[in-house]
Amino acid sequence: MEAIVWLFLEIGGLLAIAGFVFFGIGWWLRGKTEPVKTSVTPTPAEPARSGPSLAELAWDAEKQHWEKQVTELKAERDGLLAEVSGLRARSEAPAPTPKPAKPRARKTKK
């Protein structure tokens, strides 16, 4: 029991010494710091935009993309419709008439 008490006292003493050392280092460095030199460079104000905004440009680009997609799809649709109409024209053409079948002779019973 007595050993634990001495252990706590030693730990407390070491923490106290470390605290005083860090406090002393901080106090000593407090006077050594130099203030940060801030240089203010005036920046010209951004001129007012007379052109379209970025949102409008993005919207126009999106719109052009979709218009291009629609024209491609319409061209593909027209091509498919032409193929379908060609197939219908071929299927609606009259089929050649089959040859009349020869009459078979009847088998006789014996």
Side-chain angles (χ1 to χ4, degrees):
M1 185 74 170
E2 192 176 319
I4 293 176
V5 172
W6 280 111
L7 180 67
F8 284 144
L9 286 175
E10 286 180 13
I11 291 174
L14 290 174
L15 286 174
I17 291 171
F20 283 124
V21 167
F22 282 113
F23 180 76
I25 291 172
W27 190 270
W28 178 66
L29 288 177
R30 184 177 62 113
K32 300 270 185 186
T33 58
E34 295 179 13
V36 177
K37 296 178 182 176
T38 57
S39 61
V40 178
T41 55
T43 57
E46 190 172 315
R49 288 187 159 180
S50 60
S53 68
L54 291 177
E56 290 172 349
L57 292 175
W59 175 252
D60 289 341
E62 182 90 11
K63 186 177 174 183
Q64 287 175 355
H65 170 72
W66 286 112
E67 287 174 351
K68 181 181 174 187
Q69 291 279 337
V70 167
T71 54
E72 289 175 358
L73 288 174
K74 283 182 180 179
E76 187 175 347
R77 179 196 64 188
D78 293 340
L80 291 174
L81 285 175
E83 285 183 31
V84 168
S85 62
L87 289 174
R88 282 187 184 158
R90 259 191 269 151
S91 69
E92 290 174 358
T97 55
K99 288 184 177 180
K102 293 182 185 178
R104 289 188 173 187
R106 286 189 160 202
K107 294 183 179 180
T108 58
K109 286 186 181 180
K110 291 191 180 181

